Amino acid sequence: MSHSNEEVALVSDQVVKRFTLAAALAALTGVLAQVSIPIPLSPAPISFQVIPVYFAGILLGPVWGAGSVLLYIVAGALGAPIFSNASAGLGVILGPTGGYIIAYFFAAIAIGLIVHKGTETQPLSSVSVWTQAIALVIALAIIYGVGVPWLKFAAGFEWTEAIITGAAVFLPGDIIKIIAVLGIITGSTRLQVR
């Protein structure tokens, strides 16, 4: 009597790869959030947590990229100490810096849609560096566009104060982060998820 064993794949290799990268980028977001530098002009510290958000949108596209960021937000909201300075909970989301965290979700979607021209990921070799740069600049505008008004109302700032403390002081560093992400993406042939 012969027995044949058939392997049944419940989940495709592509889904496993994307889920793994999404989880890794969510974890990296939490790790880089701990690298924060308080500045006297703003309640929001300089941090590096936006870098994995950029990677999520570029590498995973709008669906899986947003999923990665959502995983980070939900884990932090539920109590994992992964927001800046090992903070956690809904209080952080509802506080002065919460708008920036929420905006990461929309930024990842925008990056993915622009870079991949839809919800299906395309080979990055077919996407110009200028398209990627435009996507990251638009994502940064979304982050400021949500974060600054949120900061204004949550902290009780005037508009000028919110713009200066919530965007202007961070702009030079954010431009450097965008250039660094573009350099890593364009300089590596291994950064492609299929």
Side-chain angles (χ1 to χ4, degrees):
M1 176 181 266
S2 70
H3 295 285
S4 82
N5 293 330
E6 289 186 32
E7 185 177 312
V8 177
L10 298 176
V11 180
S12 72
D13 288 345
Q14 180 185 35
V15 169
V16 171
K17 286 179 187 176
R18 289 183 182 185
F19 178 80
T20 302
L21 184 56
L25 287 171
L28 184 60
T29 305
V31 169
L32 290 181
Q34 306 320 307
V35 182
S36 63
I37 305 161
I39 55 174
L41 297 176
S42 177
I46 295 172
S47 76
F48 297 92
Q49 67 196 26
V50 74
I51 292 172
V53 173
Y54 291 157
F55 280 119
I58 290 174
L59 297 175
L60 293 170
V63 177
W64 283 97
S68 174
V69 176
L70 186 61
L71 178 60
Y72 166 72
I73 293 169
V74 169
L78 291 176
I82 55 175
F83 296 143
S84 290
N85 300 316
S87 59
L90 281 176
V92 176
I93 299 289
L94 299 174
T97 61
Y100 298 99
I101 296 169
I102 296 297
Y104 293 159
F105 176 78
F106 299 104
I109 292 171
I111 293 166
L113 287 173
I114 294 166
V115 168
H116 298 285
K117 299 174 181 70
T119 58
E120 295 298 319
T121 57
Q122 307 298 317
L124 289 179
S125 59
S126 68
V127 181
S128 75
V129 70
W130 291 109
T131 299
Q132 293 175 41
I134 289 167
L136 296 182
V137 169
I138 289 171
L140 182 60
I142 290 169
I143 293 167
Y144 287 157
V146 175
V148 169
W150 193 300
L151 175 66
K152 179 213 182 304
F153 293 110
F157 289 166
E158 295 296 323
W159 277 110
T160 304
E161 185 180 13
I163 291 168
I164 291 170
T165 62
V169 296
F170 297 106
L171 190 56
D174 284 334
I175 291 170
I176 292 169
K177 291 173 199 172
I178 286 173
I179 292 168
V181 167
L182 291 170
I184 292 168
I185 293 288
T186 58
S188 176
T189 58
R190 298 178 54 89
L191 288 177
Q192 178 64 49
V193 180
R194 294 222 180 220

